[in-house]
Amino acid sequence: MKKAAHLDIAADRRRPGGDVRALPAGEGVSDASLVERARAGDRWAEEVIYRRYVGTIAGLAVRLLRSRSEMEDVVQETFAIALERLGSLRDGNALRGWLAQIAVGQVRRRFRRRRLLALLGLDRTEEDAPFESLAAEGITAEEAAELGAIDALLTTLPVEQRIAWVLRHVEGESLEDVARACSCSLATAKRRIAAAEARVNIHVRPT
């Protein structure tokens, strides 16, 4: 299917939510080296890990949760958990996918909390970041309307389908990385994406 390419992913990663800035740091230093140094207590390595991937995690969180304030919470929690658990990461080169897996776990927690609060009539979540608000500059009114329709439909899907679809078709992750981030098998990831696509394709213009 056609990727939701009008979302300005690159721009959003440079300054996601307008509050968190991903700055270049540690050029030429591999993730594995950073992980090894951070495990040894190197605060510079910890800072580089944060700066290298804060935009990726923030962009993922805001597109899943549609809330900038919740995105900021997920970013903070993801890196706090990651730095505490670096010793459990066997392959330092898998750092990016591992961070995404932690972030998705935090996103799931927020969706569960929303459901509980909604049942109690107490949900006050401010969803201030729909897809069209994250779109690249210069899109047409028709394209903005398409993004709005897709975004509205995604909110009606089961959470796991929504997460898998966004990872695959907005974040551009491979099927293997989707499965890893969602902590599920490859076959399960494919089923979730296919189920979401069956609904989303109805709202996507043919190319």
Side-chain angles (χ1 to χ4, degrees), residues 29-39 52 91-95:
V29 181
S30 70
D31 283 355
S33 295
L34 289 173
V35 169
E36 183 178 358
R37 293 177 64 165
R39 283 173 178 164
R52 183 171 291 182
D91 179 5
N93 289 316
L95 176 63

Side-chain angles (χ1 to χ4, degrees), residues 120-174:
L120 298 174
L122 300 174
D123 187 12
R124 300 292 186 270
T125 302
E126 181 180 357
E127 294 191 348
D128 58 359
F131 276 4
E132 57 266 38
S133 74
L134 302 174
E137 295 182 4
I139 66 170
T140 66
E142 186 178 8
E143 288 168 340
E146 178 183 315
L147 286 175
I150 293 174
D151 188 43
L153 185 141
L154 288 175
T155 63
T156 71
L157 295 178
V159 168
E160 297 298 347
Q161 291 181 15
R162 176 177 173 178
I163 291 173
W165 188 91
V166 170
L167 285 169
R168 178 62 172 159
H169 292 298
V170 178
E171 299 301 306
E173 301 290 351
S174 68

Side-chain angles (χ1 to χ4, degrees), residues 64-137:
L64 287 172
L65 291 166
R66 306 170 79 248
S67 167
R68 297 182 189 278
S69 62
E70 286 196 311
M71 171 270 288
E72 292 168 2
D73 290 340
V74 167
V75 168
Q76 293 177 13
E77 292 165 4
T78 296
F79 284 97
I81 292 169
L83 293 176
E84 181 180 343
R85 299 179 184 174
L86 271 179
S88 67
L89 179 59
R90 296 180 180 178
D91 179 5
N93 289 316
L95 176 63
R96 180 180 177 278
W98 185 67
L99 289 171
Q101 185 178 33
I102 295 172
V104 167
Q106 297 307 302
V107 166
R108 284 200 191 98
R109 287 185 57 195
R110 274 162 177 72
F111 278 129
R112 288 195 295 268
R113 182 173 182 272
R114 285 185 188 181
R115 286 198 298 270
L116 176 60
L117 291 178
L119 288 173
L120 298 174
L122 300 174
D123 187 12
R124 300 292 186 270
T125 302
E126 181 180 357
E127 294 191 348
D128 58 359
F131 276 4
E132 57 266 38
S133 74
L134 302 174
E137 295 182 4

